[in-house]
Amino acid sequence: MTRRCTAALAALALAALSVPARAQTHEAAPFGMPVMDRHVFYHALLDELEGRFGSDQSFRWEGEAWGGTDENRFWLKSEGTLTNGLLDDGRQELFFSRAVSTYFDAQIGARYDLDSRPGRGWVAFGVEGLAPLFFHVAATGYVGGDGRLAARLEGSYDLLLTQRLILQPRLEMNFYSQDDPIREVGAGLSDLEAGLRLRYEITRKVAPYIGVSYEGKYGRTADFARAAGDPTDAVRFVVGLRLWL
């Protein structure tokens, strides 16, 4: 009887000690345990690092890097194509983005066209994210000097044939409001690029790929290309490497 009384008294004492501890935890985090939504993350992706082979050969890169929290991030994007020693389609962009929904970010920033032609500066704004069925989409508008306007639409999708073998269709279109003969860009739909790439992820961060790319120029942009002796469309075989950190 004495042992039972001693055990009961010990249990009551432990219970009395635990109540203040739980109360203290509740006061420190009244809405539950804190989440890591303010942690700063970093990510870099070189989506295209490839050689293109067709009627002519070129080297192309396209990549992006961002740093920030789940809600607010700074983005740096870069792309360009090197053909016969001339840099074309050189586009550098810096954005601040803020999450506006679970799957989409609103972005505002600047773009500068930096290649072998005279440069152009733009104010940029747009949205980017995952549409239903996990299509990656982005729509960006640009305001430049002399009342120039431009827009860019992009879309891609990762089709998992296996856990490592992935087929990615991709489409990009660019529009301009005014002719810009110095940069051989015409008003309206300027150019379209469509690609189909098959990559094998040796690891999640390293993936060689092969594919095919189509580039077409339209309207006044095609007129400028013809006047310069350049093709208005081309289909090329591509070999490249996709990397991310």
Side-chain angles (χ1 to χ4, degrees), residues 52-87:
R52 296 184 173 184
F53 307 94
S55 57
D56 56 9
Q57 287 75 48
S58 61
F59 171 78
R60 179 169 176 80
W61 81 88
E62 181 174 340
E64 63 186 30
W66 59 259
T69 65
D70 286 341
E71 192 172 41
N72 301 309
R73 293 175 179 174
F74 286 96
W75 292 75
L76 178 63
K77 301 182 180 183
S78 176
E79 66 177 67
T81 303
L82 187 63
T83 306
N84 298 326
L86 295 176
L87 182 60

Side-chain angles (χ1 to χ4, degrees), residues 30-195:
F31 303 105
M33 295 299 293
V35 294
M36 299 293 289
D37 60 345
R38 294 299 175 189
H39 187 78
V40 176
F41 300 94
Y42 301 93
H43 179 72
L45 170 66
L46 197 54
D47 201 28
E48 293 180 5
L49 185 66
E50 64 187 31
R52 296 184 173 184
F53 307 94
S55 57
D56 56 9
Q57 287 75 48
S58 61
F59 171 78
R60 179 169 176 80
W61 81 88
E62 181 174 340
E64 63 186 30
W66 59 259
T69 65
D70 286 341
E71 192 172 41
N72 301 309
R73 293 175 179 174
F74 286 96
W75 292 75
L76 178 63
K77 301 182 180 183
S78 176
E79 66 177 67
T81 303
L82 187 63
T83 306
N84 298 326
L86 295 176
L87 182 60
D88 191 22
D89 196 26
R91 189 171 311 187
Q92 325 304 322
E93 295 177 298
L94 178 65
F95 286 105
F96 169 77
S97 75
R98 184 175 178 84
V100 294
S101 72
T102 303
Y103 295 105
F104 276 90
D105 291 347
Q107 299 177 328
I108 186 168
R111 157 186 155 187
Y112 194 78
D113 298 334
L114 182 62
D115 51 31
S116 298
R117 294 189 174 92
R120 292 282 186 267
W122 307 82
V123 174
F125 56 91
V127 293
E128 180 173 355
L130 292 175
L133 302 180
F134 293 98
F135 282 90
H136 176 263
V137 295
T140 310
Y142 303 95
V143 180
D146 301 325
R148 290 189 176 90
L149 302 175
R152 184 184 198 189
L153 302 177
E154 300 171 86
S156 65
Y157 183 73
D158 281 352
L159 177 62
L160 273 66
L161 302 179
T162 70
Q163 290 298 317
R164 292 180 180 269
L165 193 62
I166 299 169
L167 185 65
Q168 184 192 64
R170 185 171 187 169
L171 179 67
E172 174 188 320
M173 294 185 291
N174 290 287
F175 303 84
Y176 292 87
S177 65
Q178 299 180 19
D179 289 349
D180 189 353
I182 294 178
R183 291 193 58 81
E184 297 183 6
V185 168
L189 173 60
S190 170
D191 59 271
L192 179 151
E193 180 174 339

